Amino acid sequence: MRRPVVEAGRSERAFRTVLEQKIWERRQTFEEFAEFAEVFAREHREPGSVGVRHLQRLAAGRKPSGEPLSPVRPSTARLLERIFGVGIDVLLGSVREPIEVPEIVGGGSSARADGDLVDALAWLDRRAGWVPGTGRGKVGARAGDLGVGGLLDRNALRSRVGRAQMASALADYYGPIRAGYGMYRARCGGQAVVTSVVTRVEWLDLACALTADRDSVKFVAEEFVPGAALGRVGADGAVDRLAESVALGVRIANLPLYRLLGVEIGDALSGTVGQVPFMEYALTMDLLEGELLDAVAAGRSALPLRDLYLPSAESVLDLPKRVCAGGVLALCAIARPGDPFRGGPDYALLVQVRSGSVLNASGRLAVIPKAFHQPMSDVRADARVGATLLRELEEELFGRSDVDMTIGDVRAAVPMHPGRASEPMKWLTAEAGRLRVECTGFGLNLVSGNYEFAGLVVIEDEEFWRRFGGQVEANWEASGLRLYSSLDGELVEELVEELVGQEAWSNEGLFALLQGLRRLREIGGGRVELPAVEVEVGG
């Protein structure tokens, strides 16, 4: 990379370190800066000092012999960090050309994107115990080291790691789960499947209609208290995630998430949730997926971030003592009339390919809708699982960008008020029996420790397809939609084997797909010809 230069009259100067550049920008000699630093330390009661010869070595980035510098004394490092407002690692690093920072929140204003980045960097400095501004320098340097090409290469390697490999690696790491718990396993159309979702027999096949009397997840106003300082492993992981987000323009917005504190699953959904800032999840627990993919791709077993954040089966199940964010996702089945080319009446089954602009499960197949469980404007009412599913139908399939909190502020007092609904949603809710929304299962995903509510959304009235089928379109979170028929005659078993055998499926997506197919086979009547899905909970 070309080294930047600064014009000084008619000459050009190449800087060896950021420290040398910053002293030059102050228009001071080394002697003058050393005197200034002495006065600064005295006035600010800093014990550190830096002499001229020591300063010259630091500015050069190497000893006169060409050997690397010895570690800087902590008191000297603190003094220089206070003077310049950036970390010592940045000051002693090489000068880089400015990095163009793309908007982190795609589709929003640059002010919103900059605000999210500022929030993230402030969080990083605070949680790592760094001098303010240190995180910005580290993230910028890391983004320059990685480069867009390097990140794309890394993502390509990650995409080659299949779902089964991830599940196997996690089974090896955690070993047997507590009695009564196990990993979700299934056999469908002759295809054996194991996922990373930990569940219980009583958490499956719920057929729980998400109505007011059976959807009883409650919000409690419990303040989230962050854990100890990140430490080197945690801080390095957060820097890497932010550098990737900046370089690739991945959307990240510091919106609140629900945090699961307790759950009871039965004839109704009961549980309690608090809140946690999205940044606390994205820069801690959500790092575990990337670390796992990199380790499997490289054939190594060391997982230092997992050792830090989710080290045992007991920690997975101890919800109140960790950040347990979650998702709500569902298989969507839309009734269609018969067609002379396709055959008789069926259901269109929707599958999405997650885009590279989403934070998790990017590039993998998943059911749609799929969303984080999070509040919009009413933190108590929005805690219901069904509220998230209906919101995501509007956002991900019916084109309502005003309920997409990642691309702008939500200004409406009641975003999901019936008067604001899309035309498809107004039609679906105008008469009972047109729309069925159920929870089909619950589990805890070992990939990042997330909770997963699996669901089934069935549009029962085929008139919907005639009126609105052409308006069903995925939003930015998907790079494409795939459509499958529930009624494919002799080919249906082969079709389901292909679906289940796709290593590109996310673990939670496959969990929701299989649970949805089981339930649809029970209620679909003549519209479905689906093979049996046999389920077990194993070690």
Side-chain angles (χ1 to χ4, degrees), residues 210 215 217 257-258 269 273 325-331 352 354 360 366-375 382-393 396 437-443 450-457 477 508-509 511-512:
L210 295 178
D215 188 355
V217 177
L257 295 177
Y258 286 122
L269 301 185
V273 293
V328 179
L329 66 171
L331 174 64
Q352 65 168 313
R354 299 282 285 173
N360 61 355
V367 293
I368 189 170
K370 171 180 167 61
F372 279 110
H373 189 204
Q374 61 187 148
D382 292 341
R384 295 182 303 107
V385 174
T388 295
L389 277 179
L390 291 178
R391 182 193 76 217
E392 290 305 302
L393 276 177
E396 294 189 0
V437 182
E438 294 183 351
C439 181
T440 58
F442 174 82
N450 290 8
Y451 63 92
E452 310 287 359
F453 283 104
L456 176 66
V457 174
E477 296 177 47
E508 68 276 11
F511 174 55

Side-chain angles (χ1 to χ4, degrees), residues 444-505:
L444 297 168
N445 195 340
L446 293 179
V447 172
S448 296
N450 290 8
Y451 63 92
E452 310 287 359
F453 283 104
L456 176 66
V457 174
V458 184
I459 297 176
E460 302 276 17
D461 192 333
E462 63 185 34
E463 179 61 24
F464 176 89
W465 189 259
R466 294 191 185 94
R467 291 184 180 223
F468 304 109
Q471 298 180 34
V472 175
E473 182 177 342
N475 72 349
W476 64 268
E477 296 177 47
S479 61
L481 276 182
R482 299 183 183 180
L483 207 64
Y484 297 94
S485 172
S486 64
L487 192 62
D488 278 345
E490 296 179 357
L491 297 178
V492 69
E493 185 168 326
E494 181 181 329
L495 169 64
V496 174
E497 285 186 10
E498 179 186 352
L499 285 174
V500 174
Q502 282 273 10
E503 280 296 291
W505 272 91

Side-chain angles (χ1 to χ4, degrees), residues 31 62 107 123 170 173 311 320 333 356 385 388 441 490 506 518:
E31 290 79 7
R62 289 186 174 275
W123 179 95
L170 290 167
Y173 182 93
V385 174
T388 295
E490 296 179 357
S506 66
R518 279 170 67 86

Side-chain angles (χ1 to χ4, degrees), residues 128-401:
W130 291 340
V131 172
T134 303
R136 177 177 291 276
K138 288 180 178 287
V139 169
R142 183 61 175 149
D145 288 339
L146 291 171
V148 174
L151 287 167
L152 293 176
D153 289 343
R154 184 172 72 177
N155 289 345
L157 287 174
R158 288 178 175 181
S159 69
R160 297 173 190 168
V161 178
R163 181 203 68 257
Q165 291 174 283
M166 296 174 69
S168 177
L170 290 167
D172 290 343
Y173 182 93
Y174 288 107
I177 312 296
R178 185 191 300 172
Y181 295 81
M183 298 176 81
Y184 179 86
R185 300 171 181 268
R187 180 171 293 276
C188 180
Q191 181 81 30
V193 177
V194 61
T195 72
S196 63
V197 176
V198 171
T199 189
R200 300 171 60 91
V201 171
E202 53 266 37
W203 288 354
L204 302 176
D205 303 324
L206 302 178
C208 178
L210 295 178
T211 53
D213 58 331
R214 301 181 70 187
D215 188 355
S216 303
V217 177
K218 306 292 186 184
F219 171 76
V220 294
E222 178 176 301
E223 183 180 359
F224 172 74
V225 180
L230 294 178
R232 182 186 60 80
V233 170
D236 286 350
V239 167
D240 194 77
R241 163 56 62 83
L242 285 174
E244 179 179 18
S245 299
V246 167
L248 298 182
V250 174
R251 301 178 180 205
I252 179 170
N254 196 24
L255 302 168
L257 295 177
Y258 286 122
R259 170 188 176 223
L260 191 63
L261 303 173
V263 65
E264 294 182 14
I265 305 295
D267 292 336
L269 301 185
S270 299
T272 54
V273 293
Q275 283 192 103
V276 63
F278 185 78
M279 215 64 73
E280 188 72 34
Y281 164 76
L283 299 179
T284 58
M285 298 297 291
D286 198 50
L287 304 178
L288 303 187
E289 180 177 9
E291 179 190 57
L292 178 64
L293 290 169
D294 291 340
V296 173
R300 64 173 186 268
S301 59
L303 297 169
L305 285 168
R306 189 167 296 273
D307 295 342
L308 178 65
Y309 293 126
L310 203 65
S312 65
E314 286 303 311
S315 68
V316 173
L317 302 176
D318 195 357
L319 305 181
K321 291 186 179 179
R322 67 177 180 88
V323 174
C324 185
V328 179
L329 66 171
L331 174 64
C332 183
I334 305 176
R336 298 186 295 187
D339 181 276
F341 299 100
R342 188 180 63 248
D346 70 347
Y347 289 106
L349 308 179
L350 302 182
V351 172
Q352 65 168 313
V353 183
R354 299 282 285 173
S355 81
S357 296
V358 295
L359 196 65
N360 61 355
S362 63
R364 297 192 177 272
L365 299 179
V367 293
I368 189 170
K370 171 180 167 61
F372 279 110
H373 189 204
Q374 61 187 148
M376 292 190 70
S377 59
D378 188 333
V379 69
R380 296 191 185 279
D382 292 341
R384 295 182 303 107
V385 174
T388 295
L389 277 179
L390 291 178
R391 182 193 76 217
E392 290 305 302
L393 276 177
E394 286 281 67
E395 176 193 332
E396 294 189 0
L397 291 176
F398 299 161
R400 279 194 62 191
S401 59

